[in-house]
Amino acid sequence: MSEHKVFVTRQLPPATLERLSAHCDLEVWEDFMPPPYEVILEKVSQLSGLVCLLTDRIDARLMDAGPSLKVISNMAVGFDNIDVAAASARGIPVGNTPDVLTETTADFAFALLMAVARRIPEAKQYIHEGKWRTWHPTVLSGQDIYGATLGIVGFGRIGRALSRRASGFNMRVLVDTLEPEAEVSEAGGEKVRLDELLRESDYVSLHVPLTEDTKHLISKDELAAMKPTAVLVNTARGGVVDPAALYEALRDGVILAAGLDVTEPEPIAPDDPLLTLDNCLVMPHIASASVATRRKMAEMAVDNVIAGLRGEPLPTCVNPEVR
Ligand code: GLV
């Protein structure tokens, strides 16, 4: 038996787990649903490594309950579920899974944009409800994508990947970012302030992490600044948008429609008012869910935990200042 015990909070591909088991004494949570916080809290006292998902809250209390915890590896690019400052303060490196999901997630953001703009879910419903009786000049008319203006909020890997897709659709791309203007223009975009982006864009797609600064970044005033024909797409984190303000804006025609892969909270309640709206398409946080990408994410999460157990730098670390 290895000196290192590792807990993985969900089933991962068997081959990936087998590779990990060669480096540690492995325990995997078998349920479909995530382990309750109290379960992780109890297990962590014995752990050297933890592989977790964005559904697991990993806070200072939990870290303090794991005196031998050497590494936390999140199978996600986002890490707002982990108190990274607390991990750094305790010398625990935290891994994430960037890059491998960039193109898959950007594909999905663009798919949401197109589905909502061209009213594909509504059209499906229309047929299923037996409403298709004839070709009609105006029924289910949507918005053009080709040649429209796309506002990208946040210009990290996924925001940039979305701008590459937009160029194929001859879109004007406006970007709100802290990155230098030259980088944005090199990628074919125009750096603008958020208020200008909201005013001018036909589509607004969010690509910022959830932090104290971005919590409810898109709220009543921001929605009011958008065009009445605008579409909002969120594949970042639900908390970046104020859901009550979004509901009112969609209901009252302040903006045209929204495509959300992420919600606040997750999962969205079946009786959430957003789900009563025809102009809101809500997906169950699946933007990175291609078979190949999810496999790569699991591999990366395992690479990170193995490096951490060995005391080596994690291949992808969100707090590299921890040595
Ligand atoms: C998914 O949302 C991720 O952060 O990987």
Side-chain angles (χ1 to χ4, degrees):
M1 194 182 286
S2 163
E3 53 171 320
H4 296 308
K5 190 161 173 56
V6 171
F7 181 52
V8 180
T9 64
R10 220 70 60 79
Q11 270 296 341
L12 300 181
T16 311
L17 288 175
E18 207 177 300
R19 189 161 69 80
L20 175 57
S21 69
H23 299 264
C24 63
D25 175 10
L26 180 61
E27 187 185 353
V28 180
W29 184 253
E30 304 284 345
D31 286 6
F32 180 80
M33 295 301 288
Y37 177 84
E38 302 303 328
V39 168
I40 308 180
L41 188 66
E42 189 213 305
K43 293 197 183 292
V44 78
S45 63
Q46 307 293 318
L47 297 182
S48 305
L50 175 63
V51 179
C52 51
L53 307 189
L54 53 83
T55 42
D56 304 311
R57 175 167 55 93
I58 310 298
D59 58 11
R61 179 174 169 224
L62 202 139
M63 295 171 204
D64 285 338
S68 46
L69 194 60
K70 287 164 72 79
V71 54
I72 299 169
S73 175
N74 209 34
M75 186 185 139
V77 66
F79 44 87
D80 47 285
N81 57 312
I82 300 177
D83 185 341
V84 176
S88 300
R90 287 156 183 78
I92 305 172
V94 176
N96 70 337
T97 60
D99 300 318
V100 291
L101 50 62
T102 299
E103 303 298 340
T104 305
T105 305
D107 280 351
F108 197 79
F110 211 79
L112 266 183
L113 183 158
M114 294 189 77
V116 174
R118 297 303 307 274
R119 306 178 62 182
I120 290 172
E122 285 174 80
K124 175 176 175 187
Q125 187 79 359
Y126 181 79
I127 289 185
H128 285 233
E129 287 173 0
K131 291 183 177 161
W132 187 18
R133 291 189 293 130
T134 182
W135 190 93
H136 188 278
T138 57
V139 161
L140 288 163
S141 301
Q143 300 294 307
D144 279 321
I145 297 148
Y146 189 85
T149 298
L150 170 65
I152 301 181
V153 181
F155 209 50
R157 287 171 285 249
I158 300 169
R160 283 167 206 246
L162 188 69
S163 78
R164 290 195 291 277
R165 283 151 183 77
S167 73
F169 284 74
N170 201 29
M171 294 177 102
R172 177 181 177 215
V173 175
L174 305 180
V175 180
D176 170 46
T177 179
L178 297 174
E179 298 296 324
E181 190 162 357
E183 271 197 37
V184 177
S185 357
E186 216 168 284
E190 297 164 47
K191 178 167 164 157
V192 294
R193 284 178 19 179
L194 182 61
D195 54 347
E196 185 180 343
L197 180 151
L198 295 171
R199 234 182 10 252
E200 303 233 339
S201 297
D202 301 303
Y203 300 94
V204 173
S205 191
L206 306 177
H207 299 282
V208 287
L210 178 61
T211 64
E212 273 172 27
D213 291 339
T214 62
K215 172 95 179 158
H216 292 185
L217 176 71
I218 303 299
S219 193
K220 189 171 183 206
D221 291 347
E222 291 71 27
L223 291 160
M226 290 168 68
K227 295 182 182 180
T229 50
V231 170
L232 178 70
V233 175
N234 189 7
T235 53
R237 284 293 183 267
V240 178
V241 178
D242 175 347
L246 179 62
Y247 169 71
E248 285 177 12
L250 290 169
R251 182 197 60 193
D252 300 343
V254 174
I255 66 168
L256 185 74
L260 312 175
D261 183 46
V262 287
T263 58
E264 183 193 65
E266 284 187 12
I268 194 168
D271 62 352
D272 191 292
L274 283 169
L275 299 181
T276 63
L277 300 171
D278 284 341
N279 57 347
C280 188
L281 173 60
V282 183
M283 295 281 108
H285 202 152
I286 53 169
S288 68
S290 77
V291 175
T293 291
R294 285 286 167 86
R295 194 174 296 135
K296 286 182 202 156
M297 289 167 68
E299 286 287 326
M300 252 176 131
V302 160
D303 288 343
N304 278 330
V305 83
I306 292 172
L309 296 177
R310 288 180 171 152
E312 292 169 3
L314 311 194
T316 49
C317 189
V318 303
N319 57 348
E321 67 278 7
V322 173
R323 283 276 155 209

